Amino acid sequence: MGILGWIIFGLIVGALAKWIMPGRDPGGIFITILLGIAGALIGGFIASALGLGSANSFTIGSMVIAILGALLLLFIYRKMRA
């Protein structure tokens, strides 16, 4: 997947993560994209370490892994901020 694919994937994943876990978070679309990309990286790392797969292509499984990673990032961010 190229850089444009990762940006689109990050936007979709970040938006879904914020939709699943709503709240008052700073940032707009750029933070949402970065959240989604970072979530894909973290979710892919954890899933591959556990032998569950990875987030290296645009599939439903990789999207679920990326969303879980983004939700984890949101949870950690909110706990550190509170």
Side-chain angles (χ1 to χ4, degrees):
M1 196 171 358
I3 188 74
L4 184 59
W6 276 108
I7 291 172
I8 293 170
F9 187 68
L11 177 62
I12 293 168
V13 168
L16 287 172
K18 282 193 171 187
W19 179 71
I20 292 170
M21 190 180 221
R24 300 192 71 204
D25 298 315
I29 192 162
F30 295 113
I31 299 300
T32 301
I33 290 171
L34 291 176
L35 172 72
I37 293 171
L41 291 172
I42 290 174
F45 176 75
I46 293 171
S48 63
L50 295 174
L52 300 174
S54 64
N56 59 3
S57 62
F58 195 76
T59 63
I60 298 296
S62 64
M63 187 172 284
V64 169
I65 291 170
I67 291 170
L68 291 174
L71 288 172
L72 179 65
L73 282 179
L74 269 176
F75 178 77
I76 291 170
Y77 172 76
R78 289 178 182 172
K79 288 298 178 184
M80 287 177 39
R81 199 168 155 225

